[in-house]
Amino acid sequence: MTPVRLRRARAALAALAACLLPLAAPAAPAMAATAAEAPAAVRAGADGPPPLTDGFGLTQTGAATGSATNFVVTVTTAQVAGPHTIRILLPADYAARPDKRYPVLYFLHGASDNPSSPALAYPALTAAQSMITVIPDGGLRGWYADWLDQNTAAGAQNWETFHLTQVLPFVDANLRTRTDRAHRAVGGLSMGGFGALHYAQDRPDLFGQVLTMSGANDLSTDEMIIRGAVVATLTNAGTVLCGPSDGHPCALDFGPTVSSDAIFGSPYPVFGADWRWNAADPASRLARLAGTGIAVYTGNGNNSPSDMEFWAEGTAKRVKQRLDALGLPHHYVDYGDGTGWGADCHGGHTPGCWAQDLVDYVPRLEAAFAAAP
């Protein structure tokens, strides 16, 4: 490759990573400060988080922080390198109703985010009256998968194992949950939208409802921009756009740089080398969601390719077409440029739109839980 072409390729990757940045929730709609965000650890008791017992390969590090209904625990596990936060939202009557068990939504965040951020406790989630919400750490770019290469600079990266065989039973053992699939849902935004479909397809025995908002729903060669965005997080292509440090980490730095092949092997469609990407593509595995409640939300990014939502809409439309062809019922919302979809949504890949998605979705989910036997 000539130096000019190499520079152009690097610039394209950098632009792609910049486009990817809004996959995270860097800023949520303004919320009033609450005791749930108190920095000091709150000991278990009448006014604090319920006590949780280690198990299933998870070890807590220190006391939970937050309130009795909105708190964060930090755990370590051999499955994923480093400490990991889990935010848990309990309904207001949880402590007062020791005889009651609750359905659970596992809500998966986007790239470069972390459950320690209070922004992930969206108002519609904290206002839920009849369900528990669990927001587990999915890493800055974990992509909700057990990586093919466990020997990168990032260390152990078994995210699916961590969530489905450790976090899920840990929650069921410590909280009063309904443990059948009809009363358990998985949902997420952007990277987490991919994760939600991926988990619901891999383990239909665990989840009776699935939600994808602005999701990376298609990893096939039909949507190479999405595949390229995943690669950009692995190779840290966007760090060339990071300015001088002001003491804060650059949001385009997703951690130790690893190979483009680290998660699903080669992403390049040459002689079938990318078969693992195709095997993990949610849009190609929708038949596995038969009997599952499905919800898909997207905007249009104001029809601008520079907004990640433009590409997310393409994957959402493809998912809808295939669900229709399969005859699978689903709830589909394309709010376009955001007109009429909440005061803070303007059609982009932004928290203001996701907050309104949840305003629409949460009552539907609670109704589905209530109707389940």
Side-chain angles (χ1 to χ4, degrees):
M1 182 179 290
T2 67
V4 171
R5 288 183 177 178
L6 181 60
R7 285 196 299 272
R8 287 176 178 171
R10 286 175 175 169
L13 280 173
L16 181 60
C19 182
L20 175 76
L21 175 60
L23 284 174
M31 301 180 206
T34 70
E37 312 313 333
V42 180
R43 295 292 177 181
D47 298 322
L52 307 178
T53 302
D54 292 349
F56 306 95
L58 301 184
T59 302
Q60 296 170 84
T61 61
T65 60
S67 72
T69 58
N70 183 350
F71 58 92
V72 174
V73 296
T74 303
V75 300
T76 58
T77 169
Q79 295 299 328
V80 188
H84 301 284
T85 54
I86 304 169
R87 183 174 291 273
I88 297 175
L89 308 176
L90 300 179
D93 69 350
Y94 185 86
R97 294 289 305 276
D99 59 326
K100 185 176 179 180
R101 306 190 77 84
Y102 299 81
V104 185
L105 165 64
Y106 286 86
F107 187 68
L108 310 181
H109 64 76
S112 81
D113 221 327
N114 189 292
S116 62
S117 169
L120 291 184
Y122 284 91
L125 297 177
T126 59
Q129 297 297 307
S130 61
M131 72 179 190
I132 295 168
T133 298
V134 177
I135 309 174
D137 186 13
L140 299 180
R141 42 81 195 277
W143 288 99
Y144 300 99
D146 289 355
W147 289 20
L148 178 65
D149 188 353
Q150 296 292 317
N151 296 310
T152 71
Q157 298 289 298
N158 288 314
W159 293 98
E160 185 168 0
T161 295
F162 168 49
H163 293 141
L164 301 188
T165 71
Q166 294 186 312
V167 173
L168 192 149
F170 172 82
V171 168
D172 284 344
N174 280 289
L175 299 173
R176 299 191 308 277
T177 62
R178 301 285 296 270
T179 59
D180 59 303
R181 76 179 295 271
H183 292 93
R184 186 186 292 123
V186 61
L189 61 88
S190 200
M191 178 180 81
F194 161 80
L197 289 174
H198 181 63
Y199 286 178
Q201 290 168 339
D202 275 4
R203 295 296 304 274
D205 58 309
L206 293 179
F207 303 105
Q209 301 283 335
V210 63
L211 159 72
T212 176
M213 308 188 311
S214 306
N217 303 320
D218 192 335
L219 295 185
S220 75
T221 53
D222 290 332
E223 201 59 74
M224 288 300 289
I225 286 291
I226 301 297
R227 187 181 290 195
V230 177
V231 170
T233 64
L234 298 175
T235 60
N236 273 325
T239 54
V240 296
L241 301 180
C242 293
S245 174
D246 60 356
H248 299 286
C250 174
L252 290 171
D253 186 346
F254 295 93
T257 298
V258 299
S259 165
S260 62
D261 301 2
I263 303 181
F264 302 118
S266 172
Y268 307 109
V270 180
F271 301 117
D274 63 336
W275 67 270
R276 291 185 181 86
W277 289 79
N278 297 324
D281 170 32
S284 301
R285 301 198 302 157
L286 294 171
R288 295 182 64 85
L289 298 180
T292 300
I294 305 166
V296 181
Y297 292 80
T298 186
N300 66 12
N302 292 290
N303 295 314
S304 171
S306 65
D307 192 311
M308 194 66 192
E309 197 67 16
F310 173 87
W311 304 101
E313 184 189 44
T315 73
K317 287 181 174 179
R318 192 169 295 112
V319 164
K320 176 173 172 49
Q321 291 168 355
R322 293 180 180 175
L323 289 173
D324 287 339
L326 290 165
L328 296 181
H330 55 280
H331 178 62
Y332 179 84
V333 177
D334 187 336
Y335 44 83
D337 64 4
T339 300
W341 197 248
D344 295 314
C345 179
H346 304 288
H349 206 70
T350 60
C353 295
W354 301 327
Q356 187 61 33
D357 294 352
L358 290 168
V359 167
D360 182 75
Y361 179 70
V362 168
R364 296 175 182 274
L365 179 60
E366 291 193 291
F369 282 151

